[in-house]
Amino acid sequence: MDEALLRSLTPTVIGVLVRRGADFAAAEDAVQDALVEAVRGWPAEPPRDPKGWLVTVAWRKFLDATRSDVARRRREEHVDAEPAPGPASEVDDTLQLYFRCAHPSLTPSSAVALTLRALGGLTTRQIAQAYLVPEATMAQRISRAKRTVSAVRFDQPGDVATVLRVLYLVFNEGYSGDIDLAAEAIRLTRQLATAIDHPEVAGLLALMLLHHARRATRTAPDGSLVPLAEQDRRRWDTGLIAEGVGILQAALARDRLGEFQAQAAIAALHADAPTADETDWVQIVEWYDELVRLTDSPIVRLNRAVAVGEADGARAGLAALAALDDTLPRYTAVAAHLHERDGDLATAARLYAEAALRAPNLAERDHLTRHAARLNALLNAALNARRSGAPPPRLL
Amino acid sequence: MAKYLLLKHYRGAPDPVNNVPMDQWTPEEISAHMRYMHDFAARLEGTGEFVDAQALAPEGTFVRYDGEGRPPVTDGPFVETKDLIAGWMVIDVDSHERAVELAGELSAAPGAGGRPIHEWLELRPFLTAPPTITE
């Protein structure tokens, strides 16, 4: 196999094809194809005239490609000439795609990847970047997901709750890199809300808008967490809040309450308070009671304990907390917060440090560590003051 | 989805059950071991759960700042550490249960006599960016 000969012939053969009327890119492609054939066939049967052979094969490849191109163009022109599909059928197709992408036979992560690919139109690379995995891994995830759902028959409508769960997962991923998954989730949920009339779809859309409205204030420029009570409310997006509240009120009016509507109601009460102190905690506790009834989730009960602590005082919050399993995620952080409000700084400092060790992400760990450090500094100052006989510094 | 680190140790972790040093395996046993690891990674690529895998050389050096204008202090090329990391694999899976299941499988790589080595792997979750909703 004479590779040097092949390389030296390549430009000549491309030249011949271009002279015969092929454009450069097509000629180069055709010659590459011919070279592949040469590599395969020549060791067994070398031609007497290598250049003539290459020109003949490359020209045939070029004609094949052009013919299939022409056929494709004809098909495309044909489709173009057809009347546009009516809006109804378009909606049905989109809906079917939503149910297909969120099919219960898929794992949550596959459903998310497929949704972003098929409905969001993101490239595999973009999705891989957003989830910080190699592109090959994401490509496999998506093609497995496609294979899984291609066998599924769609003769009955899917479960809206599954679709909503997948969209909520996308939203909760937030953003990383150049793909804003939260905005993407809102876009897709808006699209779903126009295709399907369902109070929980509206509830989820309202919930997303209300959370998104506060997004800019949730973290400081250095990436540290800013708790709700300390957020700069003037920077909340009032347009998004108004839209979210409007959508939520219309959904609630239909009297088919679901968990997304209840969560959105809580978010709306937070968004509605001009200052943190004016938050209507009593009503928030009532919505948490609804959520407990709807979901019976231990995480909801934990959040409810926080709300009870605000509405009825730290002691009531601690009592609500005492009924829960202390291995719940963020249980220790909630306990620390309530003990601090109750004035037991030593216990709170210990619990904040413990909660930091269990934090699921860096921002939260740093946040809790700072709380522990702040309380320990206060406690040490109080101790030193007592030793020196000076009046104790004011706590909090 | 959550990412987990599967850490292999040269030293420091408890001994594997099938505890024969690798230099006393037959070449075929070593090949079988390597093939197992390779096939495992390839399968995880197929399921979309693979993120990264790297092996590390056994020699490690501790390095420390030694003050302005002075070269960093090192403990020399032959470190006496109790704990040495041999390599890692990063996976991206749906649940902690799945991560435990995969770590168990990786620990079953064949060793001396073609039997699983039952090696101890350290499984550590990644700390991630916070989700959109926390309050």
Side-chain angles (χ1 to χ4, degrees), chain B residues 54-126:
Chain B
Q54 297 289 336
L56 294 174
E59 297 84 28
T61 308
F62 276 90
V63 180
R64 195 201 72 194
Y65 174 67
D66 199 36
E68 192 75 44
R70 302 162 70 120
V73 179
T74 69
D75 70 335
F78 305 110
V79 60
E80 263 196 76
T81 47
K82 292 197 190 69
D83 189 1
L84 268 178
I85 294 160
W88 69 73
M89 180 178 281
V90 178
I91 54 176
D92 189 19
V93 291
D94 270 318
S95 65
H96 182 256
E97 289 72 29
R98 175 67 176 157
V100 170
E101 182 187 330
L102 289 177
E105 261 184 63
L106 188 58
S107 161
R115 293 185 309 276
I117 51 176
H118 298 273
E119 151 189 52
W120 287 98
L121 292 170
E122 196 181 350
L123 179 66
R124 302 272 296 269
F126 276 43

Side-chain angles (χ1 to χ4, degrees), chain A residues 62-75:
Chain A
F62 166 73
L63 289 181
D64 286 352
T66 309
R67 272 195 211 105
S68 69
D69 221 17
V70 168
R72 180 175 55 78
R73 199 170 308 143
R74 206 179 298 130
R75 279 197 304 276

